[in-house]
Amino acid sequence: MTRTATITAVLAAGLTACAGPTPRVTDVPKPGTEPRLVVLLVVDQWPEWALEAKRAALTGGFDRLLREGEWHVGQHPSAATLTAVGHALFSTGEPSYHSGIVANVWWHRDIDKELKSIEAEDGSVTTKWLRVPGLGDAIAAAGTGGKAVSVSLKDRAAILSLGHTGTAIWYDPKRVAWTSLVSSAGSAGSPPVSSTEPPAWLAAWNASHPIAAHLHDVWTPLPETPGLAGVPDDAPGELGEKGFGPTFPHAIDATKDPANAIFATALANDLVIDTATEAIGAEHLGADPRPDLLVISLSAHDYIGHGWGQESWEAWDALLRLDRRLATFLGDLDAKVGAGRWAMIVTADHGASPMPESLHGGRISYKQIQDAANRAAIAELGPGEWIASADYPTIYLSRAALAQKPQDLAKAVTKIVYALRSFPGLERVEKTADFWGHCETRTGEDFILCISLDPERSGEIIYLPAPGWVLQDSKDGLATGHGSRQPYDRLVPVIMLPPGRTPHPALQKPDDTTIQMVRISTVLARWLGVTPPTSLPAASRQAP
Ligand SMILES: [Zn+2]
């Protein structure tokens, strides 16, 4: 940059500053600045450290967000830094101990079966496991006629980010199509009425084959990607995902199941944003002064992280492409809703570990933990299958174990806890019964453990991985993972574009304000002009 250009840039920055300070995130928009559309954009598995490493290369949509918004570091409250838990938190403002969403999948003792967080006993989709109201319910309760719509590849992300009411849209790889759950508020005291019949516009959108048209695409890196990543394409620990190998190019139709492989491509972010843009027009989002909510959750970023790691060519390339796609999307919001008539929060449901290879960590499977726990139980109870499930973050004893005499069972649980405390890669193992109830009276890590648990739904033992250790399914290895209480999992970017904002020089780093992620739901509710879900009447809550 020449000296004159530098002076011009400094003057321009000064002039922008003279236009008035950037508004802080206000609880209630100033009169005349009320947004017509509030957008929550979730980048699935997006740690703060990864954005800071890539910020300088982002010159498109992210740069615009950082010229109009504030950049804070957000802190997720609990150790259950998982997709379902995080999306339920955005909507309800409540961690697991109140939301009832303890993991993506958990063991149900009464039916001896694992169910997904949005799956009923008969396999249908449901919001029944969510104990509290979400933003969709808050909008319905306000009676403004505002809408709540979400779009994601993942069912749990789309459904739990709204609560019990609204239009949730997600990708069904079996049908290579978008599918939906439309729920409206029931009459006083009765549950919401739900339908899996897609809205007419979504059926028409599916009929245009927006996804099937891409099943023969080949994902190749942008020219700048390798240099920016600064690591080899096959860095140690990279495995690939959904049938793709560790290195580029990634031909979708060369995988065993191309419709499923779409989940782990940069293209998938475009497909989600295309569908969200379609929804803005078809659902008339932001078309009138009754504020609407649009949640967009970009799941591909999570699968790409799991397969290749946040440092990989694939993760870099996906974010660079998202940077470009976002620039178009933000322009579309200006055109469709009106400049200054929309507000936005961009954040993540959880972070991720840097590659375990760089942290002297490693990888452990749930099966290894289950086997170690069972061996410890056998030492006390004799031969048997004493563990029903060890999926993070808790271990569930089997029905046979629970039928043992209480004193024998207590001794077995103590044996399991001590055995797992010496298991490599685990930092903390505890009896869950010691950590539930009266969470507000606990401090530090004890508080974090307490709010990660639901006394009715969690297992008997909780375990937390040590720094750099990644938990994985035994069948499905991971490059990196998330779900721990470590800062790389709990700290995520929060870019807030409040109503009434004025542009400023693009931010290059976050400010020093930490945002507690339990606040996101309330900020969104204030922008929407509705009562925050945490303040809705107790009648709409299910006791644990
Ligand atoms: Zn996630």
Side-chain angles (χ1 to χ4, degrees):
M1 195 183 266
T2 64
R3 184 176 152 75
T4 314
T6 308
I7 291 169
T8 310
V10 169
L11 281 176
L15 287 174
T16 309
C18 290
T22 308
R24 303 297 302 172
V25 177
T26 47
D27 268 352
V28 180
K30 288 200 181 75
T33 69
E34 296 92 343
R36 291 183 165 194
L37 180 63
V38 174
V39 181
L40 171 64
L41 177 67
V42 182
V43 182
D44 200 314
Q45 192 195 121
W46 194 34
E48 171 65 23
W49 64 264
L51 173 58
E52 291 182 24
K54 293 171 188 169
R55 164 66 186 103
L58 303 173
T59 55
F62 284 110
D63 197 64
R64 176 173 170 190
L65 292 170
L66 293 167
R67 269 185 281 123
E68 293 189 25
E70 303 167 19
W71 177 1
H72 308 288
V73 177
Q75 178 164 264
H76 277 281
S78 84
T81 41
L82 301 164
T83 299
V85 179
H87 283 80
L89 178 80
F90 291 143
S91 177
T92 66
E94 300 281 14
S96 302
Y97 76 135
H98 285 158
S99 74
I101 303 300
V102 292
N104 290 333
V105 172
W106 66 87
W107 186 258
H108 290 248
R109 295 186 187 87
D110 50 340
I111 54 170
D112 274 332
K113 195 179 168 188
E114 265 187 357
L115 294 175
K116 296 194 289 179
S117 54
I118 44 76
E119 182 184 15
E121 291 86 339
D122 63 1
S124 61
V125 287
T126 182
T127 64
K128 67 189 267 186
W129 307 118
L130 184 66
R131 295 190 191 277
V132 289
L135 285 167
D137 309 302
I139 291 170
T144 58
K147 288 187 169 181
V149 176
S150 64
V151 185
S152 177
L153 295 182
K154 292 182 182 175
D155 48 11
R156 56 186 177 274
I159 294 168
L160 295 171
S161 60
L162 296 182
H164 304 274
T165 315
T167 298
I169 298 166
W170 66 95
Y171 173 51
D172 178 358
K174 292 198 182 76
R175 293 173 46 237
V176 201
W178 297 100
T179 190
S180 60
L181 181 70
V182 181
S183 307
S184 48
S187 49
S190 56
V193 181
S194 294
S195 166
T196 51
E197 187 71 29
W201 72 265
L202 189 60
W205 178 238
N206 278 332
S208 72
H209 304 295
I211 302 167
H214 292 281
L215 291 180
H216 302 289
D217 284 13
V218 179
W219 179 16
T220 54
L222 294 165
E224 60 270 40
T225 292
L228 286 168
V231 295
D233 193 12
D234 59 348
E238 292 192 23
L239 293 169
E241 177 76 15
K242 302 277 182 198
F244 294 119
T247 55
F248 280 112
H250 299 301
I252 294 173
D253 61 8
T255 63
K256 267 195 200 144
D257 185 354
N260 194 43
I262 290 268
F263 274 108
T265 62
L267 161 73
N269 289 333
D270 297 344
L271 299 177
V272 172
I273 295 172
D274 292 349
T275 303
T277 307
E278 197 70 14
I280 291 170
E283 297 279 350
H284 309 292
L285 301 180
D288 59 47
R290 299 170 302 185
D292 302 310
L293 170 69
L294 173 63
V295 181
I296 304 171
S297 179
L298 300 171
S299 317
H301 199 259
D302 181 61
Y303 293 102
I304 291 166
H306 282 312
W308 294 281
Q310 292 284 337
E311 300 93 330
S312 65
W313 288 22
E314 284 80 0
W316 267 93
D317 199 71
L319 203 70
L320 292 171
R321 289 176 187 276
L322 177 60
D323 188 40
R324 296 174 181 192
R325 182 66 185 86
L326 273 185
T328 314
F329 177 66
L330 299 178
D332 286 344
L333 285 177
D334 287 340
K336 288 171 189 281
V337 181
R341 288 187 163 174
W342 53 271
M344 184 183 276
I345 293 180
V346 184
T347 187
D349 53 344
H350 50 77
S353 172
M355 290 293 268
E357 284 74 9
S358 66
L359 293 180
H360 306 291
R363 298 173 181 83
I364 324 168
S365 74
Y366 303 128
K367 178 78 167 60
Q368 287 173 300
I369 291 171
Q370 179 160 352
D371 289 348
N374 202 48
R375 280 196 300 275
I378 285 170
E380 188 63 40
L381 302 174
E385 293 294 333
W386 305 115
I387 309 297
S389 161
D391 281 5
Y392 187 77
T394 60
I395 294 172
Y396 295 77
L397 298 175
S398 67
R399 199 175 277 261
L402 293 171
Q404 299 295 307
K405 285 190 201 130
Q407 62 269 37
D408 294 343
L409 187 59
K411 280 188 204 160
V413 169
T414 302
K415 276 242 160 70
I416 295 169
V417 167
Y418 281 113
L420 292 183
R421 280 181 184 168
S422 61
F423 196 88
L426 295 187
E427 183 181 59
R428 194 152 181 200
V429 184
E430 299 287 350
K431 295 175 196 175
T432 47
D434 294 341
F435 289 91
W436 53 48
H438 307 290
C439 294
E440 283 74 15
T441 64
R442 301 170 189 267
T443 55
E445 197 168 287
D446 290 2
F447 174 74
I448 293 173
L449 286 171
C450 190
I451 64 170
S452 308
L453 297 167
D454 178 304
E456 192 179 273
R457 296 180 183 166
S458 296
E460 285 75 13
I461 295 151
I462 182 166
Y463 62 93
L464 303 180
W469 285 82
V470 164
L471 296 162
Q472 60 188 10
D473 210 294
S474 53
K475 298 186 292 292
D476 232 348
L478 301 178
T480 190
H482 53 84
S484 79
R485 66 158 193 96
Q486 306 300 335
Y488 52 65
D489 278 343
R490 289 178 64 206
L491 300 182
V492 295
V494 179
I495 302 172
M496 292 185 156
L497 278 72
R501 62 191 173 271
T502 49
H504 48 74
L507 305 175
Q508 302 301 323
K509 60 184 178 54
D511 67 15
D512 50 12
T513 319
T514 302
I515 295 267
Q516 299 302 324
M517 297 303 283
V518 293
R519 289 270 301 146
I520 298 294
S521 164
T522 296
V523 172
L524 292 170
R526 295 290 188 217
W527 291 359
L528 288 161
V530 302
T531 304
T534 48
S535 301
L536 285 174
S540 53
R541 291 153 183 273
Q542 233 188 80

